[in-house]
Amino acid sequence: MSWLAGTTAVLVLGAGGVSAWVYNDLNNNIKGADIDGKLGGDRPANLSPGSKNIMVVGSDSRDGANAKYGRNLTTMQSDTLMVLHLPANREWATVVSFPRDSWVEISACEKGDGGTSGPHLAKINEAFAIGGSGGEVAGAAACSIKTVEDNTGLRIDNFMSIDFQGFKGMVDALDGIEVCPEKAIHDEDAHLDMEAGCQTVGGEKALGYVRTRYAVGDGSDIGRIGRQQEFMETLAAKAKSKLTSPTSLYDFLQSATKSLTTDEELDGIDPIYDLASELKGIPSDRLTFLTVPNYPREADVPTDRANVVWQYPQAADLFTSLANDKEVAKKPFQAQAKKGLIYASTVRVRVLNGTGVSGRAAAVAEKLRAAGFTVVGTGNAPENTDTTTVAHPDGLTEHAKVLASRLPDAKATRSADAAAGEVTLIVGADLDPEKMR
């Protein structure tokens, strides 16, 4: 956004009739989507006034010129999903990538046919397809926003979507981007044939490079996210240095704006330029790209070899930090995630009902099983309580933290009375099973 909108200013602020024509041309390219009415009222609060969370989606729509990139796909697809966090002081920024194979609870959403889908577990990118089943970006965006908000607790303030064709045009306007694959890549699905070694790739080949998955490395979406992040950093740097020619600048912005859909607040050159003005002072070493910590779901569900689950408490710590406008240092964050990996299936949980509401322990236990935890039993607590607690014996502190991080406002505490080898969850009146991550 910083280089896109910053370069737009060169045209917007120029003198004469040509500038006015270019301004109107680019401004009319951007499409606005009214999503507010589709989000409902039960949303997270913005805990840090002045900060912004902007959802950015690389749209995998198969309409028009994009039809050749997929077979038997009739719905809109989110090929890439990220959230850009801008702090209130605008002195740093963090981009968080969400693996498209993330196994999460998809929120209840309006569908294109007027119906409503129920909450269910699926890949996170299914939200975009459900909401966009009628072909409208507004519905697709709303369902993705609701799902991300419900799973992270972050308030999403704005939305942007750009499709394949816009990406290719942007790269072509820069005369290509240099990439250096260590091995040759041959991927029919991504329409890509590349030899090993450094080379400059144009729009079509560049698109294939950032889309390829199964033909590179371990074939995971995590590896693809890494390539996408590196590519976008290189693209941003080249855009800053190269877009001095009015012709190449205009071509670049035409491609970007023609394929850009935003929420109504960002609909137009003026709001995008205003945003860029806030961003341009952020040092490059304080723009951080992170991926939600995750591990293969196969570790919890041996039959699932296709998806990943988010790693707790590290994922919850990341979301909490951004919600409270705290900068996250990349290297310590990654080191902690690698060091503190605990599979949900290794956390043995006993669920006790302290609400007095019949069936509450069973409902919570079912949610925990769906999240991969090992539930060893349910029952009633000695007495009712307003506050949910997670108690653990010596040696299970980290396991208790994994569980507590999935429960709103719950804390893990050591207890001499806790049973050996398991974590005890006492469900209080404050815990709504539907709010569990």
Side-chain angles (χ1 to χ4, degrees):
M1 277 303 300
S2 62
W3 44 260
L4 169 59
T7 51
T8 302
V10 176
L11 297 178
V12 173
L13 299 180
V18 174
S19 253
W21 178 84
V22 169
Y23 173 91
N24 290 326
D25 186 34
L26 297 176
N27 193 65
N28 292 334
N29 282 343
I30 302 173
K31 297 173 286 293
D34 182 7
I35 61 177
D36 289 344
K38 298 178 180 293
L39 294 175
D42 187 17
R43 302 181 61 195
N46 185 333
L47 301 180
S48 303
S51 67
K52 280 183 176 290
N53 291 308
I54 303 174
M55 177 179 287
V56 183
V57 172
S59 173
D60 207 0
S61 168
R62 304 309 190 198
D63 291 337
N66 290 338
K68 65 181 178 181
Y69 294 111
R71 293 169 292 182
N72 304 318
L73 289 175
T74 58
T75 58
M76 306 176 78
Q77 306 289 315
S78 59
D79 194 57
T80 302
L81 177 62
M82 300 178 288
V83 169
L84 166 64
H85 177 82
L86 303 175
N89 64 15
R90 301 299 194 262
E91 293 180 358
W92 53 274
T94 297
V95 179
V96 179
S97 293
F98 295 80
R100 63 178 292 172
D101 294 340
S102 296
W103 192 254
V104 301
E105 183 167 275
I106 307 297
S107 301
C109 296
E110 292 183 17
K111 298 191 295 185
D113 61 5
T116 301
S117 66
H120 63 283
L121 293 168
K123 296 177 189 286
I124 196 169
N125 68 326
E126 185 174 303
F128 200 80
I130 291 173
S133 57
E136 297 293 329
V137 175
C143 193
S144 292
I145 289 172
K146 290 179 67 175
T147 296
V148 169
E149 288 188 340
D150 289 344
N151 282 277
T152 68
L154 292 171
R155 171 80 174 216
I156 303 300
D157 302 288
N158 298 107
F159 168 82
M160 296 183 158
S161 174
I162 188 165
D163 73 14
F164 287 168
Q165 299 305 313
F167 175 85
K168 291 194 301 179
M170 291 162 68
V171 172
D172 284 341
L174 297 174
D175 296 328
I177 299 296
E178 184 179 63
V179 297
C180 299
E182 295 181 358
K183 297 181 179 179
I185 305 173
H186 304 290
D187 186 341
E188 182 178 347
D189 290 336
H191 298 262
L192 181 65
D193 284 294
M194 291 180 67
E195 298 304 319
C198 293
Q199 56 202 281
T200 297
V201 293
E204 189 74 36
K205 187 167 284 189
L207 177 60
Y209 179 77
V210 297
R211 290 190 67 241
T212 188
R213 173 176 176 178
Y214 300 108
V216 183
D218 61 2
S220 72
D221 191 44
I222 310 305
R224 176 165 61 177
I225 285 175
R227 287 193 303 278
Q228 290 174 345
Q229 291 177 345
E230 291 174 1
F231 191 95
M232 292 307 295
E233 286 181 299
T234 303
L235 186 149
K238 189 168 185 179
K240 286 180 179 180
S241 64
K242 183 176 176 60
L243 291 180
T244 56
S245 159
T247 301
S248 59
L249 176 59
Y250 178 71
D251 291 344
F252 181 87
L253 293 173
Q254 271 285 2
S255 296
T257 54
K258 275 186 176 180
S259 301
L260 184 64
T261 302
T262 72
D263 63 280
E264 291 191 321
E265 184 179 343
L266 291 181
D267 179 14
I269 293 296
D270 284 341
I272 289 179
Y273 171 66
D274 290 341
L275 179 60
S277 297
E278 298 177 338
L279 289 171
K280 64 183 179 182
I282 297 176
S284 59
D285 61 352
R286 297 190 69 182
L287 171 61
T288 304
F289 287 86
L290 301 174
T291 300
V292 178
N294 62 85
Y295 61 85
R297 188 168 181 256
E298 184 181 6
D300 295 331
V301 182
T303 56
D304 186 354
R305 299 183 179 182
N307 300 302
V308 299
V309 291
W310 295 348
Q311 178 184 339
Y312 288 88
Q314 290 81 7
D317 291 344
L318 171 62
F319 304 143
T320 299
S321 293
L322 296 181
N324 289 288
D325 219 14
K326 295 181 179 179
E327 189 172 6
V328 179
K330 185 170 187 174
K331 289 185 177 179
F333 172 76
Q334 291 178 326
Q336 178 58 35
K338 184 176 182 180
K339 177 183 177 182
L341 174 57
I342 295 177
Y343 300 139
S345 56
T346 66
V347 181
R348 294 166 50 83
V349 186
R350 186 172 301 276
V351 184
L352 302 181
N353 186 357
T355 68
V357 178
S358 179
R360 184 57 57 86
V364 171
E366 183 60 30
K367 293 279 286 188
L368 292 177
R369 290 190 186 97
F373 290 91
T374 300
V375 178
V376 298
T378 60
N380 291 319
E383 58 184 11
N384 291 341
T385 177
D386 291 332
T387 305
T388 298
T389 59
V390 176
H392 64 87
D394 289 336
L396 291 183
T397 301
E398 298 305 316
H399 289 69
K401 287 181 179 179
V402 171
L403 174 60
S405 67
R406 307 295 292 264
L407 312 170
D409 302 321
K411 302 293 183 183
T413 58
R414 179 187 171 279
S415 173
D417 298 328
E422 63 186 47
V423 176
T424 302
L425 169 60
I426 299 180
V427 180
D430 61 342
L431 179 60
D432 180 354
E434 297 304 317
K435 297 297 184 182
M436 295 168 58
R437 293 190 176 104

